[in-house]
Amino acid sequence: QILTAAEAHFEAGVLRGKRILVTSGPTHEPIDPVRYIANRSSGAQGTAIARALRSLGADVVFVTGPADVPPPDGVEVVRVETAAQMQAAVDAALPADAAVFAAAVADWRVASASGSKIKKKDGALPVLEFAENADILAGVSQRISGRPGLVVGFAAETDDVIAHATAKRARKGCDWIVANDVSPETGIMGGSENAVFLISDAGVESWPRMAKEAVAERLAARIAAALVS
Amino acid sequence: QILTAAEAHFEAGVLRGKRILVTSGPTHEPIDPVRYIANRSSGAQGTAIARALRSLGADVVFVTGPADVPPPDGVEVVRVETAAQMQAAVDAALPADAAVFAAAVADWRVASASGSKIKKKDGALPVLEFAENADILAGVSQRISGRPGLVVGFAAETDDVIAHATAKRARKGCDWIVANDVSPETGIMGGSENAVFLISDAGVESWPRMAKEAVAERLAARIAAALVS
């Protein structure tokens, strides 16, 4: 009976029958079997967005790197570690009605990753050679066929937030960019609040600082409005 | 009354009045404000050792990097992020009767760490320059004054475990080395079990694979025997 009530709730949701992909969390790029390059994304914002979309009735595919917070209930969870794995999971998850790329994907991987632990040898320093990872957001945004009707990217910046994010939106070809300032002094990366700009064809909206859950609910409502209008 | 009972328990412990330093967890070395180099240490083994020493009555100073598991109750916790911060915390925690260096400390930091997020520029790859971190284990082991009576190091290896760890013991000057194989296929890093070798003046002991808590209790008992003999 509880299940039936829950089902009825989702069936009533404005996003009922819509398939939405959400990526979340950091990626980890191996240096050797014990070391890796990470980033400070906790996955909190992406997780909150997936939960908010689900609560509006969407079928959510949640592709997540190794996050600090557990994935939401009621979504299809795909766990990945590296950017390359995330790209493969995104490709496998499409087509979708909308896609929200909230993950902090590594721009680079270590091309010279070692199969055994790199040892310290008197005075010698390691040399890491990098290779560029595929740009998942641009790849999906610029698809000729199978492009989601709405593609939302994120821009985590430490300076010139609006300028960098506006340029990123044009460069990637996504519809919206959610931009924020992740300088350490803001406490946003790893924290419970977020202060974002929503950048679209309509211009730049500045949202007040609020809980990440509130940002998620507001964004989910906007996505619903865009998909069902 | 519960407190009094607990106090009586610790007062009765064989390590009562002994001050023991335990380091644990990974260190994180920043690349820029959002990216860092990490390692797969969960902090589980170091945390279990601190707990086991505390349960034998020791006064434990627990210096921990950003671990996946919470620190044990009843110990003095010092939280750090980088190897340099860990070294400073270790120096501040000494003198001690014994020191157990279970942390997976980064051998290298990024000398060219950036104050703002490194941007992707058409085709250009980042160049990271490294600098060697101070060797905390060797520094404490080779102290002329203020050296703990017993210094225990760890060696996480992926090949030639005993040979590498025996050489490490000689090179660092510590009394014991607890060595293990952290190759991904062992499932030890991030897992609940450990299979270690204890290397000392007396030679190499191979301990069977067991829960990390059991390794910790066995090691704590050996430390107690060494300190009170």
Side-chain angles (χ1 to χ4, degrees), chain B residues 76-203:
Chain B
E76 181 189 336
V77 179
V78 183
R79 293 178 195 275
V80 300
E81 180 167 328
T82 66
Q85 290 165 359
M86 185 166 280
Q87 183 190 31
V90 164
D91 283 342
L94 295 178
D97 295 291
V100 180
F101 294 98
V105 182
D107 291 320
W108 305 283
R109 66 182 177 279
V110 180
S112 53
S114 168
S116 64
K117 188 179 173 186
I118 301 171
K119 309 294 292 181
K120 208 155 74 165
K121 297 189 197 84
D122 23 26
L125 296 167
V127 176
L128 297 187
E129 294 184 0
F130 292 92
E132 197 163 343
N133 283 325
D135 189 322
I136 300 175
L137 174 61
V140 172
S141 297
Q142 296 166 21
R143 274 182 175 228
I144 305 294
S145 73
R147 184 191 191 277
L150 178 67
V151 178
V152 182
F154 274 67
E157 306 289 344
T158 56
D159 47 301
D160 287 336
V161 176
I162 293 176
H164 277 139
T166 301
K168 180 172 182 175
R169 176 174 173 266
R171 201 167 62 240
K172 308 288 185 182
C174 58
D175 301 299
W176 301 351
I177 285 267
V178 179
N180 59 8
D181 184 342
V182 295
S183 301
E185 61 271 23
T186 67
I188 284 176
M189 263 201 159
S192 61
E193 294 188 330
N194 205 351
V196 308
F197 301 94
L198 179 63
I199 301 175
S200 68
D201 262 346

Side-chain angles (χ1 to χ4, degrees), chain A residues 15 20 22-25 41-56 58 60 62-64 67-73 75 100 102-103 154 191-194 196 207 210-221 223:
Chain A
L15 287 173
I20 304 184
V22 178
T23 72
S24 184
S41 170
S42 64
Q45 187 63 79
T47 301
I49 290 166
R51 183 178 290 118
L53 291 166
R54 175 65 188 143
S55 77
L56 295 181
V60 176
F62 185 66
V63 176
T64 180
D68 294 341
V69 297
D73 291 333
V75 306
V100 181
F154 273 67
S192 62
E193 293 188 330
N194 206 352
V196 308
W207 292 7
M210 58 181 102
K212 288 183 176 175
E213 289 75 13
V215 171
E217 285 161 19
R218 197 158 163 169
L219 184 65
I223 290 170

Side-chain angles (χ1 to χ4, degrees), chain A residues 33-220:
Chain A
V34 301
R35 302 178 177 97
Y36 58 93
I37 296 179
N39 65 66
R40 297 187 193 281
S41 170
S42 64
Q45 187 63 79
T47 301
I49 290 166
R51 183 178 290 118
L53 291 166
R54 175 65 188 143
S55 77
L56 295 181
D59 295 324
V60 176
V61 184
F62 185 66
V63 176
T64 180
D68 294 341
V69 297
D73 291 333
V75 306
E76 180 189 338
V77 179
V78 183
R79 293 178 195 274
V80 300
E81 180 168 328
T82 65
Q85 291 165 358
M86 185 166 279
Q87 183 190 30
V90 164
D91 284 344
L94 295 177
D97 296 289
V100 181
F101 294 97
V105 182
D107 291 319
W108 305 284
R109 66 182 177 278
V110 180
S112 54
S114 168
S116 62
K117 187 179 173 187
I118 301 170
K119 309 293 292 181
K120 208 155 76 165
K121 296 189 196 85
D122 25 26
L125 296 168
V127 176
L128 298 187
E129 293 185 0
F130 292 92
E132 199 162 341
N133 284 325
D135 190 322
I136 300 175
L137 174 62
V140 172
S141 297
Q142 296 166 21
R143 274 181 174 230
I144 305 295
S145 73
R147 184 191 191 278
L150 178 67
V151 178
V152 182
F154 273 67
E157 306 289 345
T158 56
D159 46 302
D160 287 337
V161 175
I162 293 175
H164 278 140
T166 301
K168 179 173 183 175
R169 175 174 173 266
R171 201 166 64 240
K172 309 288 185 182
C174 58
D175 301 300
W176 301 351
I177 284 267
V178 180
N180 60 8
D181 184 341
V182 296
S183 301
E185 61 272 21
T186 66
I188 283 175
M189 264 202 159
S192 62
E193 293 188 330
N194 206 352
V196 308
F197 301 94
L198 178 64
I199 301 175
S200 69
D201 262 346
V204 180
E205 281 179 30
S206 173
W207 292 7
R209 188 173 175 118
M210 58 181 102
K212 288 183 176 175
E213 289 75 13
V215 171
E217 285 161 19
R218 197 158 163 169
L219 184 65

